[in-house]
Amino acid sequence: MKTIHPSRMLKAALLTDAAASGALALLQLLANRMLTQWLALDSRLLLYTGIFLLGYANLLLVLAYTDRIWPWLLRFIIAGNGAWAVACLALMALPGPAPLAAAYLGLQAASVLAFAAWQHAGLMASSGMRRGPARASL
């Protein structure tokens, strides 16, 4: 399988996403009852996404300190960030989200889209990624 050497930009994007995801996970796990009351979101949703985010943050940390990464895995992570944003926007579109919940979800959607763009730029800047169309040699 093809691997790449991650660029500094990609490593920074992965580390920052890991820190943000880990902080959000801890918030949702340690302040679950409080967030449930303030945001009027289901406590199980916050619990399960918090658990997921802990694993996700750990994966990003491992990748940020790895010398070779599979591009397909990075593309999967980038697509996952896009899916997370869509899920946040879908929750906002449901009837009756509290204004604070809408702000919480909107901030997550904007953040993960920014991470996806940063990670994509870092992936493209990584050594081993083909730039432009392949040229036939004479």
Side-chain angles (χ1 to χ4, degrees):
M1 260 189 216
K2 177 184 174 185
T3 60
I4 60 157
H5 291 284
S7 65
R8 284 183 151 180
M9 180 190 309
L10 179 57
K11 286 181 178 255
L14 293 171
L15 281 172
T16 307
D17 192 357
S21 297
L24 186 61
L26 291 176
L27 176 69
Q28 290 186 184
L29 294 172
L30 299 176
N32 187 280
R33 284 189 181 160
M34 183 177 63
L35 284 177
T36 298
Q37 291 173 351
W38 286 357
L39 303 175
L41 293 173
D42 187 86
S43 65
R44 290 172 297 179
L45 173 71
L46 295 172
L47 174 68
Y48 296 143
T49 56
I51 292 168
F52 169 81
L53 286 169
L54 277 181
Y56 176 71
N58 282 310
L59 171 64
L60 295 179
L61 282 174
V62 168
L63 292 176
Y65 290 106
T66 301
D67 290 333
R68 301 206 46 93
I69 303 175
W70 297 304
W72 68 264
L73 180 56
L74 292 167
R75 288 186 183 101
F76 184 75
I77 288 168
I78 292 164
N81 276 333
W84 190 277
V86 169
C88 288
L89 295 175
L91 284 172
M92 288 173 59
L94 292 175
L100 192 54
Y104 183 78
L105 294 167
L107 182 60
Q108 281 189 51
S111 298
V112 296
L113 288 176
F115 284 131
W118 190 10
Q119 289 161 351
H120 182 264
L123 175 60
M124 293 299 107
S126 296
S127 64
M129 288 300 296
R130 183 181 293 169
R131 298 190 192 8
R135 296 182 187 173
S137 57
L138 299 174

